[in-house]
Amino acid sequence: MAVKKIETWLTDMDGVLVHENTALPGAAEFIDTLKRNNRQYLVLTNNPIYTPRDLSARLGRSGIDVPEDRIWTSALATADFVSRTMPRGSAYVIGEAGLTTALHEAGFILSDINPDYVILGETRTYSFESITTAIRLILGGARFICTNPDATGPSENGVLPAAGAVAALVTKATNREPYFVGKPNPIMFRTALNRVGGHSETTAMIGDRMDTDVVAGVEAGLNTFLVLTGITTRSEVETFPYRPDQVVDSIRDLIDIAESGVVEF
């Protein structure tokens, strides 16, 4: 059994810290433990709709105090990726404030006139007109980026179509596959680590999904923890060809590790 240092923590939000607008067991205490021990951390989410300020306020209403500079979204990761690839480029965007704000702050111009990229994010108001415009621009040569591959998202009334489902529609019409930036693309974690100055060998990822959080953590070389307060059940873990380092009931079970900074695998 090996003893490893954990100096940096990356954690998913929905299913790990909160469910809808309710804090999950131990979430507030876990974040407080990280702060008290001066651990580096970021809260990661594939949801590109909201700005970090919006998400910080949402967590605050649930009793979890996470400053906005400790939140990393697929929208921020996308803006970081395209601005490094093509500084001060242009994009036609289907999305909401979380994505458009991130792109503006990265120096991008939002335009439907010969853009460098078509960037598809999440929105509650997908329109036939905007999707048609995106298809025509991609066929005209624009590069196709999607913030995240999630096919559905949760709501109080059941599942909703998400960016991955709309991306499939665009792909069918254009025969062009998008580049997905969000989880499970390890680039989401690498950009997060760059933001906090973390190193993969001493970083842990906490998630509730084997097919996004855990696989991305494994591929990025992180220590991985699966919590059972979200999507994946304990019995489902065995169906995947990869494994998290540990499976725990909730984030509450990781407070002692956050306190000590070491874990035995």
Side-chain angles (χ1 to χ4, degrees), residues 11-20 22 24-25 58 206-209 213 226-232 249-251:
T11 176
D12 189 29
M13 188 169 71
D14 292 292
V16 178
L17 299 178
V18 292
H19 176 69
E20 296 294 335
T22 302
L24 288 166
R58 176 192 168 195
I206 312 169
D208 71 308
R209 295 187 63 136
D213 305 314
L226 177 75
V227 297
L228 301 176
T229 47
I231 298 294
T232 304
D249 290 329
S250 74
I251 199 169

Side-chain angles (χ1 to χ4, degrees), residues 14 45 47 57 114 129 176 184 190 193 210 242 263:
D14 292 292
T45 176
N47 188 332
N114 195 29
E129 181 181 358
R176 305 281 180 83
R190 294 193 186 107
L193 288 177
M210 288 289 291
Y242 47 87
V263 61

Side-chain angles (χ1 to χ4, degrees), residues 17 37 44 47 68 80 90 100 115 119 155-156 201 205 212 231 253 255:
L17 299 178
N37 289 278
L44 273 59
N47 188 332
E68 58 184 281
D80 180 84
S90 61
T100 56
I119 302 179
S155 79
E156 294 179 357
E201 291 185 1
M205 173 64 197
T212 55
I231 298 294
D253 299 310
I255 292 175

